[in-house]
Amino acid sequence: MLSKGHIIRGISLSFIAALAVCSFCLYLFLYFAAYGAIEARLTDFAKEFNAKNTESQIQNFIVKQNSTFTIQILDFETSKPYFKKQDHCYSLLMPLSQKTLKITQNITQELGFLHKIAQAILLFDCALGLCFLVILTQFTKLIQQTTQDLSMQLLKIQPQDIRALDENAIPNLFKPLVSGFNHALKHMQDYFSQEKQLYAGIAHELKTPLAVIKTKCEVVLLKKREKDVYIKALEENIQSVNTMQGIIKTLLSLGRLESELLKGIETIDVNAYLKGIASDFTLISQKENKIFHHKIPDTPLMITINPALLAQIVRNFLQNAFKFTEKGKEIVLESVLENEILKICVIDTGCGISSIDDLCMPFKRVGHKGGAGLGLFLAKQAANALGGDIILENRKDTQGAIAIFSLRIKDLKKE
């Protein structure tokens, strides 16, 4: 793990290297710009000088000097113009008949300017680097202090007492981070709250049949009784045991649901998959003398989903519909795709639901049909994991309920 000193050193070296490169590039730009201006002046003066003087006039003098330039005629021939730097002078040499015209400018002033520019850039780099180092040190201290404060607050968090972090005690720079963390803590708090409620419900649901079994056994054993009394007590105890087994079986389903969340998704034809589930319940409808049919399109609809979680939802809808629908009444399974939203509906002709009940809460039941009251709770968890939603409502045309699972389909694939 990198220490504070390593972090500061690494960032500082990177900044100094970047600053040095930028400064060097700036100096090169000014350097070539200055010499470019000198060469332009020499070239312009050479053109003006040639225009004002004839070749015979130029040949008659060897050296001519004004306030800026020195003109010389050299006794050697050059093939093309070129520039030459010597000490504090910069010269243009260009062909003139069989000799060479040399125009020289003293660039002491320009060299001094470039030297001052280099010193200014160096001083600016030093000052900027020092300021950056101070700011970086203070910023690192701020990060370290904020991290320590957050760590201290996080260490105080307990599962039974999850509280949001105090955003007012955190610098503005870190408030988005703390806000996001508080949002995650809220989800954790909701999860632990559901866990507490679930465990309390489990304890209550198991406590009741156990108390019934114990009481009946104690009453029966108070005195000798007829054989039929013992048989009846045992049969009632078996019913209580079956109730507990149903609760435990549902809790095992909850464990399987959590393991399914860790499994990968796959691409399936959802219409064909729903028809497979419907075929299973067609057999059940024949056995229970209930009318069951489906309205599922024959057109393949390929979606990427966790099929086990989808089956958990649809099977729970159908199980509830069969439980509350009387013999000879109708149950329908529908699948509709509207505006890239898949809606799977189960419509029954049962007793309907109460608008004030949140049936997706653990151990919520309707009527006296039995069951652990965890089916819709598990279906809701599966829907949340798939990114969908569950809606329960009463039918408007007749008595009964409608259970709807809606899911927005991403990257829709039709065949």
Side-chain angles (χ1 to χ4, degrees):
M1 183 177 179
L2 294 177
S3 64
K4 173 184 173 182
H6 285 93
I7 295 174
I8 294 178
R9 190 179 303 114
I11 296 176
S12 299
L13 290 176
S14 300
F15 177 79
I16 291 173
L19 184 62
V21 171
C22 292
S23 299
F24 180 71
C25 292
L26 175 61
Y27 180 77
L28 284 181
F29 172 77
L30 295 174
Y31 178 88
F32 287 112
Y35 275 93
I38 295 171
E39 292 176 357
R41 287 198 300 269
L42 287 171
T43 303
D44 292 340
F45 180 79
K47 292 179 180 179
E48 183 181 355
F49 180 80
N50 287 331
K52 290 182 178 180
N53 298 276
T54 63
E55 185 174 341
S56 59
Q57 290 175 329
I58 296 173
Q59 294 283 357
N60 291 330
F61 67 87
I62 299 177
V63 178
K64 184 177 181 181
Q65 185 172 2
N66 61 16
S67 59
T68 306
F69 302 101
T70 300
I71 301 100
Q72 294 178 279
I73 303 298
L74 304 179
D75 293 329
F76 63 87
E77 185 178 2
T78 183
S79 59
K80 60 181 180 178
Y82 65 92
F83 294 96
K84 181 179 180 181
K85 181 179 180 298
Q86 186 176 9
D87 296 333
H88 295 280
C89 295
Y90 202 71
S91 303
L92 169 62
L93 290 88
M94 56 188 304
L96 180 65
S97 297
Q98 295 181 349
K99 295 185 180 181
T100 299
L101 175 63
K102 180 180 180 183
I103 302 175
T104 304
Q105 179 183 350
N106 189 303
I107 59 171
T108 302
Q109 186 177 358
E110 284 79 1
L111 292 177
F113 173 75
L114 289 175
H115 183 68
K116 290 180 180 179
I117 287 292
Q119 289 179 332
I121 291 175
L122 182 61
L123 290 175
F124 176 77
D125 288 351
C126 292
L128 186 60
L130 182 61
C131 292
F132 177 80
L133 185 60
V134 172
I135 294 173
L136 178 62
T137 303
Q138 295 300 319
F139 183 71
T140 307
K141 288 182 179 179
L142 176 62
I143 293 178
Q144 188 176 32
Q145 184 62 44
T146 303
T147 305
Q148 290 176 352
D149 293 342
L150 288 175
S151 299
M152 293 300 297
Q153 293 190 48
L154 292 175
L155 289 174
K156 296 177 182 178
I157 294 177
Q158 299 295 330
Q160 64 274 14
D161 184 25
I162 298 179
R163 288 175 292 181
L165 302 178
D166 185 9
E167 295 185 23
N168 295 326
I170 303 297
N172 292 333
L173 180 64
F174 300 96
K175 283 188 177 181
L177 173 64
V178 176
S179 177
F181 199 86
N182 283 339
H183 186 69
L185 287 178
K186 179 64 169 57
H187 285 297
M188 292 175 60
Q189 192 175 26
D190 293 341
Y191 175 79
F192 284 124
S193 177
Q194 287 183 357
E195 289 287 301
K196 289 178 183 178
Q197 186 178 7
L198 181 61
Y199 293 148
I202 292 170
H204 175 74
E205 294 294 323
L206 292 177
K207 179 181 178 182
T208 301
L210 285 173
V212 171
I213 292 172
K214 181 181 179 183
T215 302
K216 287 181 179 179
C217 290
E218 290 174 345
V219 170
V220 171
L221 293 175
L222 285 175
K223 62 179 181 179
K224 290 185 178 181
R225 301 179 185 274
E226 297 294 331
K227 181 180 178 181
D228 293 341
V229 176
Y230 289 112
I231 292 175
K232 182 179 179 181
L234 289 173
E235 288 176 347
E236 291 175 349
N237 285 345
I238 289 173
Q239 291 179 357
S240 298
V241 170
N242 289 337
T243 300
M244 288 190 295
Q245 283 183 332
I247 295 174
I248 293 172
K249 182 180 178 181
T250 307
L251 293 176
L252 291 175
S253 298
L254 177 60
R256 286 194 296 270
L257 172 64
E258 292 181 349
S259 66
E260 288 293 340
L261 297 177
L262 302 177
K263 293 184 179 180
I265 58 178
E266 54 186 278
T267 300
I268 63 170
D269 178 1
V270 68
N271 288 336
Y273 191 76
L274 292 175
K275 287 181 180 179
I277 296 175
S279 65
D280 296 337
F281 282 87
T282 299
L283 299 175
I284 296 175
S285 68
Q286 295 171 356
K287 181 180 179 181
E288 298 182 1
N289 194 23
K290 297 175 183 179
I291 302 171
F292 172 67
H293 61 91
H294 64 77
K295 298 178 181 178
I296 302 173
D298 295 327
T299 306
L301 178 62
M302 309 302 295
I303 66 172
T304 302
I305 198 171
N306 187 320
L309 297 182
L310 178 63
Q312 175 86 26
I313 298 168
V314 177
R315 288 183 181 277
N316 177 263
F317 285 178
L318 289 171
Q319 288 167 0
N320 287 335
F322 273 80
K323 182 189 297 184
F324 294 102
T325 299
E326 300 295 335
K327 291 182 178 181
K329 296 298 183 71
E330 184 184 44
I331 302 165
V332 181
L333 171 63
E334 290 186 353
S335 174
V336 180
L337 180 65
E338 296 178 348
N339 299 323
E340 297 187 350
I341 296 178
L342 174 66
K343 289 185 178 181
I344 301 174
C345 308
V346 173
I347 307 168
D348 64 45
T349 50
C351 60
I353 60 175
S354 173
S355 59
I356 62 173
D357 289 336
D358 185 1
L359 297 178
C360 291
M361 294 299 291
F363 304 105
K364 284 285 184 179
R365 298 183 180 89
V366 175
H368 303 283
K369 294 291 186 177
L374 286 172
L376 280 173
F377 171 74
L378 296 176
K380 181 67 172 178
Q381 298 299 312
N384 291 339
L386 293 176
D389 191 23
I390 287 178
I391 300 174
L392 303 174
E393 59 187 21
N394 286 314
R395 295 179 62 172
K396 296 179 181 179
D397 55 344
T398 185
Q399 187 176 7
I402 305 174
I404 305 171
F405 169 63
S406 60
L407 177 67
R408 180 172 292 278
I409 306 300
K410 298 178 180 178
D411 301 326
L412 185 62
K413 301 176 182 177
K414 290 184 179 182
E415 292 187 356

